[in-house]
Amino acid sequence: MALERTFSIVKPDAVAKNVIGQIYARFEEAGLKIVASKMLQLSREQAEGFYAVHKERPFYNDLVSFMISGPVMVQVLEGENAILKNREVMGATNPAEAEAGTIRKDFADSIDENAVHGSDAPETAAEEIKFFFNDDELCERLR
Ligand code: RTP
Ligand code: MG
């Protein structure tokens, strides 16, 4: 088992629903520790850059507009197999297909407004953490 860090966003729909704390509780219940966290209003340029991998997809413009529709929480989660564990806690991209007890099943309304983002691999986790945090913003957690 590897101690990993992954990048996570509580998206504008979940911030608007006032469930930041309930989502953070899901991370903590899964053994994921928050080692950095802040609230941000993304600029269009930031959102476009963050989701550049989806630039050619039909949903790209709507995704960018949604991500700048209100503030988000960005955080770095640490734990054993944190990348996969966070994806499990999040549930499927489409909340209609997400398993019971997952964040997206319980807090998301649609595939377009699906409450959370989580990195999908070690390389993207490292890139996404760097995109939003300086090294001095990442804390060491005692265990
Ligand atoms: P995320 O990157 O946000 O954690 O979500 P994901 O890995 O589960 O899904 P991904 O394929 O990376 O897609 C990024 C976001 O784009 C929106 N999307 N819409 N209408 C559609 O078919 C569609 N597909 C994806 C979702 O909001 C998804 O979270
Ligand atoms: Mg993704």
Side-chain angles (χ1 to χ4, degrees):
M1 295 259 278
L3 189 66
E4 285 179 338
R5 285 179 168 181
T6 191
F7 175 73
S8 163
I9 303 178
V10 178
K11 294 185 179 182
D13 57 324
V15 174
K17 283 184 183 172
N18 211 24
V19 293
I20 297 166
Q22 292 187 63
I23 291 174
Y24 275 28
R26 302 293 177 95
F27 298 147
E28 293 178 344
E29 285 158 9
L32 294 166
K33 292 181 174 178
I34 296 161
V35 298
S37 171
K38 58 192 173 189
M39 183 175 273
L40 290 175
Q41 170 63 54
L42 297 183
S43 66
R44 182 169 292 276
E45 292 67 33
Q46 273 177 310
E48 286 174 348
F50 183 75
Y51 278 118
V53 64
H54 294 310
K55 209 174 170 54
E56 306 306 325
R57 309 284 288 277
F59 56 80
Y60 179 69
N61 286 331
D62 288 344
L63 175 60
V64 169
S65 295
F66 164 61
M67 291 300 290
I68 64 174
S69 66
V72 298
M73 291 295 300
V74 294
Q75 50 279 331
V76 178
L77 308 176
E78 182 179 271
E80 296 290 339
N81 295 317
I83 297 166
L84 186 62
K85 190 175 285 177
N86 182 43
R87 299 284 299 190
E88 288 172 358
V89 169
M90 288 164 57
T93 307
N94 184 350
E97 294 165 8
E99 284 187 39
T102 61
I103 292 169
R104 283 168 166 165
K105 185 71 178 183
D106 293 343
F107 300 115
D109 292 326
S110 70
I111 190 169
D112 301 304
E113 304 200 357
N114 60 3
V116 282
H117 162 80
S119 307
D120 56 15
E123 298 73 28
T124 47
E127 283 170 20
E128 291 173 2
I129 290 169
K130 248 186 139 77
F131 193 94
F132 283 106
F133 291 99
N134 296 320
D135 284 346
D136 66 4
E137 293 179 290
L138 304 171
C139 290
E140 295 291 330
R141 291 279 305 257
L142 301 176
R143 51 207 72 254

